[in-house]
Structures are given as C-alpha cells and as structure tokens.
Amino acid sequence: MEPPSLIYEQAYWQQGYCRVVGVDEVGRGCLAGPVVAAAVILPVDCVPLPEVRDSKQLSARQRSRLFGQIYNQAIAIGIGSASVAEIDQVNILQATYRAMARALARVAPWDHALIDGKLTKTAPFEKVTAIIGGDRHSYSIACASIIAKVRRDRFMARLARRYPQYGWERNVGYGTPQHRQALDQYGLTPWHRRSFLKSLLHTDLHLCNAITGD
C-alpha cells in the first residue's frame, strides 16, 4: 500500500494557506476511556517520514518511535479529548467533534483543516475538508493519528494501574474477550461508557462495582 502523501496539503499550500492542519481521533469504538484527537501542522517544506502510516498499520514500538519524530518535524501539535461523561451525555459522534475542536483550538490560528472521515451536518467546523480514509492518504492526518493513538494508549496504560482487572494496558478500552469477562465479573468503573454497555452488561448500570469506591 502506498504511504500517505502531501497531495492534499500541497493543494492548499499552493493557494497560500501555510497553516494546514491534519486532524484525526482515536478511541471512538472503545468501551472505556475518553476519545482523543490530535491536530498537526507541518511546515510547507516538509519531507515525509517514510515510516508514517495510519496508526492502525503500525506496531506500538513503531508508533512510539515516530511520536517523537513527528513532534520534532511539526510546527504545532494540539491534543483534545472528550470525557466519558461527555460521551454518555451527547453521544460519541458529538463528543468526537468536541475533541477535534479542542485539538484545533490548541494550534490556532490555522488556515484550513484536513479531517479524517465523513462529517455530518452537525459538525461544528468551518474551513475544513473531510477525507474518507484520510489517515491512509494524507500525511498530516496520518501524523495526527499516530500522535492521538500514542497519547491515548499511554493514558489508558496509566489507568490500568488503578484498574488492573480490565487489561487496559493491552486492550486500551476496546471490547476484547478479557475486557468483557472482567466487566461481567467486576462491573463498571467510572471510566466505562455506560451508553455503550447497556446491551452488554448483566449488571445494574446505575451501580459501580465496589472496587471503584462509588
């Protein structure tokens, strides 16, 4: 598969937009933890790092190595997140938009944004181009996907030290068999998305397990 290129970025650079930002999110399909977005602005004379790909195509070791290299290459990087409470309150799509908007705010001012995926009419963005499969085609979006993935994985690994039963250091909140078995055995933590779990759990969703202290 061809690596992501700068073809989208160059189209806007040639129009005089110097601060073109790639945006991507991770954690949208997880059962636990926040959704995290990253926004990355690259220099106009950027030379792509040859290993950069969609973060899902890379190993954890590769992502960790590229994480620092992308920070060294970028003009600006912003991280935004939306909490479990927000996800349950406004739904995952709107929470994802909030995380992206917060990431974009941290690299302002910017001229145009390239966002992975397909935006709905409720997306609160202007001056954006949505690219389906953007993390496979746009270099700045692929960089954002790596940054967001590493930041969220590290956060979930820290949470795993508090809640070791769920294996978050390995599954980072996704619904693996181990994670689901732990949910049946131990119940919910404050970091679980109740709106995602109504059809999966056999426990009362208004109660947290005793290990949470709630």
Side-chain angles (χ1 to χ4, degrees):
M1 181 179 293
E2 289 292 320
S5 73
L6 290 167
I7 187 170
Y8 292 97
E9 292 85 349
Q10 288 169 344
Y12 288 99
W13 288 339
Q14 290 169 5
Q15 297 176 52
Y17 299 133
C18 294
R19 292 178 66 85
V20 177
V21 53
V23 183
D24 202 3
E25 55 75 27
V26 296
R28 188 165 171 173
C30 293
L31 302 183
V35 60
V36 175
V40 176
I41 298 178
L42 298 166
V44 173
D45 59 354
C46 169
V47 177
L49 298 166
E51 286 188 294
V52 166
R53 298 289 189 281
D54 169 10
S55 63
K56 297 184 290 297
Q57 298 175 0
L58 300 169
S59 68
R61 181 174 295 181
Q62 288 174 315
R63 290 192 296 265
S64 182
R65 182 172 64 252
L66 287 167
F67 180 85
Q69 295 177 23
I70 293 168
Y71 261 93
N72 289 335
Q73 183 179 60
I75 292 173
I77 292 178
I79 304 295
S81 66
S83 68
V84 169
E86 288 177 288
I87 293 168
D88 286 341
Q89 179 183 13
V90 301
N91 73 48
I92 185 59
L93 178 61
Q94 297 305 317
T96 297
Y97 289 161
R98 288 186 182 185
M100 289 179 169
R102 289 163 183 164
L104 282 166
R106 289 183 169 91
V107 296
W110 46 272
D111 298 322
H112 195 86
L114 305 174
I115 293 182
D116 182 50
K118 182 179 180 180
L119 299 178
T120 68
K121 293 180 180 179
T122 61
F125 307 117
E126 298 179 353
K127 303 183 298 182
V128 303
T129 298
I131 305 171
I132 296 174
D135 45 11
R136 298 192 304 273
H137 304 300
S138 161
Y139 179 71
S140 63
I141 293 178
C143 288
S145 77
I146 292 169
I147 296 296
K149 174 67 173 167
V150 173
R151 288 291 294 265
R152 187 180 186 279
D153 285 2
R154 290 177 178 176
F155 178 76
M156 294 304 295
R158 291 195 296 272
L159 279 184
R161 294 197 288 268
R162 293 173 57 189
Y163 304 101
Q165 298 90 337
Y166 301 91
W168 289 340
E169 72 282 5
R170 295 182 299 277
N171 62 51
V172 295
Y174 284 97
T176 62
Q178 179 203 5
H179 191 177
R180 295 188 186 210
Q181 182 178 359
L183 281 165
D184 282 334
Q185 183 174 357
Y186 299 105
L188 300 174
T189 72
W191 295 95
H192 279 102
R193 303 175 184 178
R194 283 155 172 74
S195 57
F196 278 42
L197 291 167
K198 289 181 180 178
S199 62
L200 296 178
L201 287 181
H202 305 297
T203 58
D204 184 347
L205 293 184
H206 296 291
L207 298 177
C208 284
N209 188 268
I211 64 168
T212 68
D214 290 348

